[in-house]
Amino acid sequence: MSSQKRIIKYQLNEAFKALAVFWGILLLVDVLGFIGNIYYNNMWTFGIHASTKISIVGGNTVAIFIFFIVYCYTRYYEDFPIAICLSVTRGDYFKSVVLENIIVSFFVALIEGILLKIEPYVISAAGSTPLQDFSIFNTKTDSLIYIVLVMFIAFFINVSFWTLVAALNYKFGYRFWIAISALFVLFIFMLNSGTLNFLDTIFSKRWLFFGVLTVACNVASYYITLNTNVKHRVG
Amino acid sequence: MIEIKNLYKSYGKTEVLKGINLNLEENKIYGLLGRNGDGKTTLLNIISNQIRKTSGEVKLYGENVFENPKQVKNICIVKDSGFGMEEIKVKKIFEAARMLYKNWDEEYKNQLVKEFDLNVRKKYNKLSRGNQTKVGLIVGLASRAKLTIFDEPSLGLDAATRYKFYNLLLEDFENNPRTIIISTHLIDEVANLFEEVIILKDGQVYIKDEVANILKKGYFLNGKEENIIPVIRNKNIIHREEFGNSIIIGIFDDLDEREKSMLRQNNVEISQIPLQKLFIYLTENPYKGGHVYE
């Protein structure tokens, strides 16, 4: 087996362990949410809702986005040093990260898509009205393949962005946060002065914007990873 | 096996390696010696793709090492600074090593864990310094990498464990020959392991030779100064100590039989300088590198 295949196998092994724990907890929360909605219908609404329509599984997306942040940071703060210290090249490591990001994004999108497709039947059976219009897709009118594809793209964009953030943070440490703070102040200033109005035009071509963003994030992460050394504790 | 040509490495304005040229052969045990800051760890980190070089070439089996998966997979480095990730269970480090080293010997690893009495369920940062070192030694030995590098493999280990490691290393080397580089400050303890010694001084290779050849040149001469000086004129003096009327002079040079017999006739005692002392005299001031009587 080549060293590329070995690091992919190792990374996927780690990712699926994390996913198993994550989905285990999330499914438990979803089940508790359903039970809560049935028993405390008049007092509380679990999950997300629009007027009388509710979706518990839809609320998973917040947890999924947080999971991706933790997952990307773990890749750089835990797996990267171990892999480099155990004779994996930075290039091979990064290629495995991208492949893993694709697989994990798809896997998460698939599970979430299936749950979203099943959910309306469960909520209707419990006597409530399911929320099915999620702005970028509709679980009533769109096919499972379309829903999974849309979510996969959204997750992959997200995970590419956070991979870049984690790579930058690992390489530059506290200096990264100083730069982010400075950029944030600059951003607020430019927003108030109207300098950023051109963003409206860019956002109107959303797919193009996110496509370019994803490619840019991955290319930048690749070059940062190639130029990053493992950090060791001092003393 | 390893070819290093004109290797330079700088950190900012500080030049650590200043034109290293080295050729290492396959299936030999090398000792890499040098004072603190002379560039040992930097050299080993460059050889093993851990850091970038500034300029020069490092080749393994004729191919550049940096970011070359085909060659990097043949290298295992055990660093005194650990694995760059402290909040991790020892068994997870071994699990990663098992999956990432193609020649990993799981059975041997289990045997070593028992031999070193290591608790693999503990987190790496909760282990004592000695036990952290043991984790590295097990990875290095069980990796069966064609080039295995131990950077300070004895940190925190008691004498018994250190000797256990030396014996295991020799035993394993006989059964699974490979190239091993050991960087250490406990020179006399491991001098018998080394086939060749590389001494770095001021970021350059000062000496690279077989241990026997190096030891052959290191002599203590103990006697009266007037009986010693005529014989060692133009020899490389690396040490000098005075005791009342007599003097001990350390030389790093060839002494032929005629010179030896002249010294003995003049009641000068001749003894060999142990490797550790030789290293100290060769690299320390004021005789740094030696000087000759004019």
Side-chain angles (χ1 to χ4, degrees), chain B residues 3 8 64-65 77 83 105 120-121 131 162 223 232 260 290:
Chain B
E3 231 180 297
Y8 285 84
N64 272 315
V65 166
I77 183 166
F83 298 89
D105 189 333
V120 296
R121 283 185 292 275
N131 280 336
R162 289 202 301 272
I232 61 159
K260 281 182 190 170

Side-chain angles (χ1 to χ4, degrees), chain A residues 3 6-7 9-10 13-14 77-78 81-92 226-227 229-233, chain B residues 49-52 67-69 72-73 75-76 79 81-86 88 92 96-97 99-102 132 139:
Chain A
S3 56
R6 279 197 299 275
I7 182 65
K9 195 178 163 195
Y10 171 71
N13 191 34
E14 290 300 299
Y77 280 80
E78 195 172 295
I82 289 286
I84 301 302
C85 285
L86 298 178
S87 305
V88 174
T89 63
R90 292 159 183 80
D92 277 355
L226 277 192
N227 290 291
N229 291 330
V230 172
K231 290 178 180 177
H232 292 280
R233 63 169 179 194
Chain B
N49 187 48
Q50 299 294 303
I51 57 171
R52 275 175 181 274
E67 284 302 290
N68 180 350
V72 171
K73 70 180 179 185
I75 305 170
C76 172
K79 298 192 253 188
S81 50
F83 298 89
M85 169 62 204
E86 312 296 318
I88 185 170
K92 202 175 165 189
M99 294 182 84
L100 296 175
Y101 285 115
K102 62 170 183 169
Q132 287 182 351
V139 170

Side-chain angles (χ1 to χ4, degrees), chain A residues 102-116:
Chain A
I102 292 169
I103 292 171
V104 169
S105 299
F106 180 77
F107 181 78
V108 172
L110 182 67
I111 295 182
E112 180 68 1
I114 292 169
L115 291 175
L116 281 170

